[in-house]
Amino acid sequence: MPSAAPDSPEAFTVPEVMAALRLSLSKVYDLFRSKQLASFTAGRARRVPVDAVRQYMRNQLEEAA
């Protein structure tokens, strides 16, 4: 029987983004403000789509090349 919950999350919490990118809380919020990292709020909770984190990393790699 398939489970209702996906195996991997579709969106990260802010602490998960901090851990994944090894960045501080203030840097993550700077990325939100500068529109370099997409996010959305659900009530009072901010979430970051997994694809947005991947896109941010791709952009950083392209800029470094």
Side-chain angles (χ1 to χ4, degrees), residues 9-63:
E10 293 294 319
F12 288 135
T13 63
V14 172
E16 289 170 335
V17 172
M18 292 169 56
L21 298 176
R22 306 292 195 263
L23 296 173
S24 68
L25 179 65
S26 62
K27 181 60 180 175
V28 171
Y29 276 93
D30 284 345
L31 294 174
F32 296 154
R33 278 190 288 278
S34 66
K35 307 284 191 219
Q36 294 181 60
L37 184 59
S39 69
F40 63 92
T41 55
R44 293 178 59 194
R46 185 174 293 266
R47 296 291 182 257
V48 181
V50 172
D51 288 339
V53 174
R54 290 186 181 123
Q55 183 63 47
Y56 171 75
M57 289 189 290
R58 278 192 295 274
N59 291 346
Q60 293 302 302
L61 287 169
E62 288 173 5
E63 287 179 17

